[in-house]
Amino acid sequence: MVSEINGKLFAEMIIQGAQNLSNHADLVDSLNVYPVPDGDTGTNMNLTMTSGREAIENNLSQHIGELGKTFSKGLLMGARGNSGVILSQIFRGFSQQLEEVERINAQQLAESFQAGVDTAYKAILKPVEGTILTVARDAGTAAQEKVKETTDCIELLTYIVEEAEKSLENTPNLLPVLKEVGVVDSGGKGLVLVYQGFLSALKGETIDSQVPKLDKDTLVNEAHDFHGVINTEDIEFGYCTEMMVRFGKEKKEFDEQTFRNDMSEFGDSLLVINDDEIVKVHVHTEKPGNVFNYGQQYGELIKLKVENMREQHREVVKKEQNNNETSNTQPTLPTEVETAVITISMGDGISELFKSMGATHVISGGQTMNPSTEDIVKVIEESKCKRAIILPNNKNIMMASEQATNIVDAEAIVVPSKSIPQGIAALFNFDESDSLKDNQDRMNETIGVVSSGAITYAVRDTKIDGIEIKKDEFMGLIEDKIVTSNSVLIDAVQSLLSAMINDESEIVTMIIGSEANESETDAIVSWIESTFEDIELDTHQGDQPVYPYLFSVE
């Protein structure tokens, strides 16, 4: 019987909870509803919990309230992915309930479980039942019931774990997609593993490590170093050129396709957005003056920008060399700016594109490894900015981004881009001279008109939304919904784009991944151009992993 928990035992509960989750992180990953190769709930929860564990291991206090604060902050800063953020919120409420106490009894333990539930539900705008939240809530309810009849913390936690396990098994009945796929909720499973570890510690049991220790520093790069990918002399088009043209009545009549075709002759990385009054252009070229002269045929040039990318590249390389001469371990600090535009990337080519379009900081991560709240906070703080705009480019990075805005001193906002194409479109509409609010409104509006698609491969057999999926087949997703699965890649692409493109579509952007095959890419381009004659196709080398092709349709 354990009637009271002291600081040493409380710390051991956290350590064992983290260890149990770490041992089974791959299992939690495998419970992802969609059979995509980057199912990462277990990885994100594990890294989040590991951050909390490390904070506890570095705190020698025996006061549970102090340990709880340390644990909560460790989780908060280390939170990755939506599951990690929710986990951090559960234990934020749990720890706040214990702030003033040095030791806890069964009643206080039960109250802390319920406080965690209350905090987590308040933090989520639209809670979904059949998820980690449901498991946490049912465990909290069980704690309130059981503590009425026992003062034994082991007996109490045993019942909490049993009811959490029952709740987990019931998640498919609350969330139909879980039942269809035949899995329980992955986040709920992760939480149960933590609670099971707590119980083992109370019983005096030790959970041994079954996996190598994760080196977080090798998983996420906080700043993209594109200078290491290319040499200065290899930059074919050296000037990043932007212009905005206000159409004039006495000027040449604007035809979008003609304009695009002509602009493409000046260089690469072409982006064109227009409405009835203006056209905005981004292009990498050797002769910016020719671009401006061409644009002036259509009206008045109202905003011009030229940056020498070769010179930028030389400065970055020079700075890194100077740093390496001083220290081989200190990374290059992010650029100090008034307004930081921070975007999450998932490939060298995409990172270069973001940089050329005005992103001041690029955090590598995206689909294959979500950055933590701390990663985002660190970039904002080291930039010494007064204002920050965060583009998550992934729905699973949204909550960590939002959490970061609540921590930093700078005025920070999140533009809720859920995909790389949405992030590109939003960034294209960033105007450094405008207020944070005006930029937010315009960028938010932009992402609402971009349809995003992706091709990846299945990691297991399953059936979802009526679609039979076989392991290793190519899947096509629109936003986060699987719409096709096929053993032949080009057939999957054709099916995906046929579902995305309609009579109002004008532009298709294709971002080519690191695993894409050149002959298949050529075949896809030929098919698009022959099938959709009125569509303008833009292609970019993104080098993103896991997803051989990303698409946007506007």
Side-chain angles (χ1 to χ4, degrees):
M1 177 176 175
V2 175
S3 59
E4 190 177 63
I5 298 172
N6 59 24
K8 183 178 179 180
L9 185 52
F10 181 75
E12 190 61 26
M13 288 170 63
I14 292 169
I15 291 169
Q16 295 303 313
Q19 188 60 62
N20 198 40
L21 175 59
S22 178
N23 287 349
H24 299 91
D26 287 345
L27 170 63
V28 178
D29 278 343
S30 73
L31 295 174
N32 190 58
V33 169
Y34 284 169
V36 292
D38 57 345
D40 52 8
T41 299
T43 300
N44 284 333
M45 294 185 75
N46 180 24
L47 289 172
T48 302
M49 195 68 187
T50 297
S51 180
R53 170 183 177 166
E54 290 175 349
I56 281 289
E57 289 176 330
N58 291 323
N59 189 330
L60 300 178
S61 174
Q62 292 295 302
H63 190 285
I64 284 180
E66 293 300 319
L67 289 170
K69 288 180 184 178
T70 299
F71 178 48
S72 178
K73 185 171 183 182
L75 291 176
L76 177 73
M77 300 303 287
R80 299 174 191 267
N82 294 343
S83 56
V85 173
I86 294 172
L87 186 71
S88 74
Q89 291 299 316
I90 290 172
F91 286 113
R92 176 172 171 249
F94 181 99
S95 299
Q96 284 177 337
Q97 184 67 26
L98 305 175
E99 276 186 0
E100 305 301 324
V101 298
E102 184 173 356
R103 296 166 175 255
I104 56 174
N105 56 31
Q107 179 64 44
Q108 291 166 315
L109 181 62
E111 290 170 353
S112 66
F113 275 97
Q114 185 57 49
V117 175
D118 295 340
T119 298
Y121 267 88
K122 288 176 184 177
I124 308 304
L125 186 61
K126 295 180 180 179
V128 176
E129 296 303 331
T131 65
I132 182 176
L133 290 171
T134 303
V135 176
R137 185 192 64 209
D138 290 346
T141 300
Q144 298 303 304
E145 293 173 353
K146 191 65 177 178
V147 78
K148 295 175 183 177
E149 57 186 63
T150 185
T151 58
D152 182 3
C153 293
I154 293 180
E155 187 178 350
L156 172 65
L157 195 49
T158 298
Y159 186 71
I160 289 172
V161 169
E162 289 173 353
E163 292 303 302
E165 290 170 344
K166 290 179 184 177
S167 178
L168 176 66
E169 292 302 315
N170 189 51
T171 54
N173 295 322
L174 300 175
L175 204 56
V177 68
L178 296 176
K179 179 173 285 189
E180 181 182 14
V181 176
V183 296
V184 294
D185 179 67
S186 55
K189 177 64 175 179
L191 183 64
V192 168
L193 288 165
V194 173
Y195 288 172
Q196 289 172 339
F198 284 3
L199 180 58
S200 294
L202 277 186
K203 292 179 176 180
E205 301 168 356
T206 300
I207 299 174
D208 295 326
S209 174
Q210 298 174 14
V211 292
K213 187 175 181 181
L214 285 164
D215 183 357
K216 292 182 288 182
D217 292 336
T218 67
L219 294 174
V220 175
N221 299 317
E222 293 170 0
H224 172 67
D225 297 324
F226 70 88
H227 54 277
V229 180
I230 57 175
N231 296 316
T232 302
E233 58 270 19
D234 293 335
I235 299 176
E236 182 179 0
F237 299 105
Y239 298 94
C240 177
T241 304
E242 295 180 14
M243 71 174 176
M244 189 179 295
V245 182
R246 181 186 292 121
F247 299 136
K249 294 181 180 178
E250 307 299 324
K251 296 288 187 174
K252 185 175 180 178
E253 184 177 353
F254 181 80
D255 176 78
E256 183 179 349
Q257 187 160 346
T258 299
F259 186 89
R260 282 177 173 275
N261 291 339
D262 291 345
M263 287 299 305
S264 66
E265 298 297 321
F266 293 120
D268 63 11
S269 296
L270 174 66
L271 291 169
V272 176
I273 293 180
N274 67 278
D275 57 23
D276 293 336
E277 297 179 356
I278 64 170
V279 58
K280 186 174 182 180
V281 178
H282 168 281
V283 64
H284 293 174
T285 182
E286 273 299 279
K287 298 181 178 180
N290 290 351
V291 173
F292 297 148
N293 289 338
Y294 178 81
Q296 206 163 11
Q297 297 178 73
Y298 292 92
E300 182 182 3
L301 303 180
I302 53 177
K303 287 190 179 179
L304 305 176
K305 181 181 177 183
V306 179
E307 293 182 344
N308 186 329
M309 294 187 294
R310 294 189 185 95
E311 184 61 24
Q312 288 177 332
H313 188 270
R314 292 187 195 102
E315 289 299 317
V316 171
V317 173
K318 182 179 178 181
K319 186 173 183 179
E320 183 181 74
Q321 289 173 344
N322 290 338
N323 285 344
N324 287 340
E325 290 173 3
T326 304
S327 170
N328 291 324
T329 59
Q330 291 297 318
T332 303
L333 291 177
T335 308
E336 294 183 11
V337 292
E338 285 282 313
T339 300
V341 182
I342 302 159
T343 183
I344 315 301
S345 177
M346 55 186 287
D348 290 333
I350 292 172
S351 297
E352 289 183 46
L353 182 59
F354 279 141
K355 284 278 189 180
S356 72
M357 293 176 66
T360 60
H361 301 79
V362 179
I363 301 176
S364 297
Q367 296 291 134
T368 51
M369 177 53 64
N370 301 153
S372 68
T373 299
E374 185 175 22
D375 292 327
I376 301 169
V377 168
K378 188 175 181 180
V379 168
I380 294 174
E381 290 181 341
E382 291 183 343
S383 75
K384 293 183 168 53
C385 66
K386 295 179 180 178
R387 297 166 296 278
I389 297 174
I390 306 168
L391 294 161
N393 304 328
N394 185 324
K395 70 173 186 177
N396 205 34
I397 305 175
M398 207 78 68
M399 292 180 68
S401 300
E402 292 284 0
Q403 193 157 263
T405 66
N406 296 324
I407 296 173
V408 296
D409 293 332
E411 183 183 2
I413 61 160
V414 175
V415 174
S417 53
K418 296 180 181 179
S419 65
I420 294 295
Q422 284 188 353
I424 291 172
L427 187 55
F428 194 57
N429 281 272
F430 169 71
D431 188 335
E432 190 174 3
S433 64
D434 276 355
S435 68
L436 204 60
K437 179 65 166 61
D438 287 345
N439 271 305
Q440 182 179 28
D441 291 344
R442 187 170 56 253
M443 295 167 85
N444 284 349
E445 183 178 355
T446 299
I447 64 176
V449 299
V450 176
S451 175
S452 302
I455 293 290
T456 188
Y457 56 90
V459 295
R460 68 172 187 270
D461 293 351
T462 190
K463 180 179 179 181
I464 187 167
D465 294 334
I467 299 174
E468 292 283 352
I469 300 169
K470 299 296 182 184
K471 186 176 183 293
D472 296 327
E473 280 190 345
F474 294 99
M475 299 182 298
L477 296 86
I478 299 179
E479 310 306 341
D480 57 356
K481 181 180 176 63
I482 298 173
V483 297
T484 186
S485 181
N486 199 295
S487 59
V488 180
L489 184 143
I490 193 165
D491 290 345
V493 171
Q494 291 176 359
S495 179
L496 172 66
L497 289 178
S498 296
M500 293 180 68
I501 298 172
N502 56 41
D503 292 340
E504 297 180 357
S505 302
E506 298 176 349
I507 306 165
V508 171
T509 301
M510 179 169 74
I511 303 175
I512 303 165
S514 59
E515 300 171 20
N517 177 286
E518 185 175 351
S519 62
E520 288 177 328
T521 299
D522 291 341
I524 291 168
V525 170
S526 297
W527 177 79
I528 294 172
E529 291 177 341
S530 62
T531 306
F532 306 100
E533 296 180 357
D534 295 331
I535 290 290
E536 182 69 27
L537 174 64
D538 288 337
T539 62
H540 299 276
Q541 187 66 40
D543 300 319
Q544 70 274 6
V546 178
Y547 292 80
Y549 298 99
L550 299 173
F551 297 97
S552 69
V553 176
E554 300 174 61

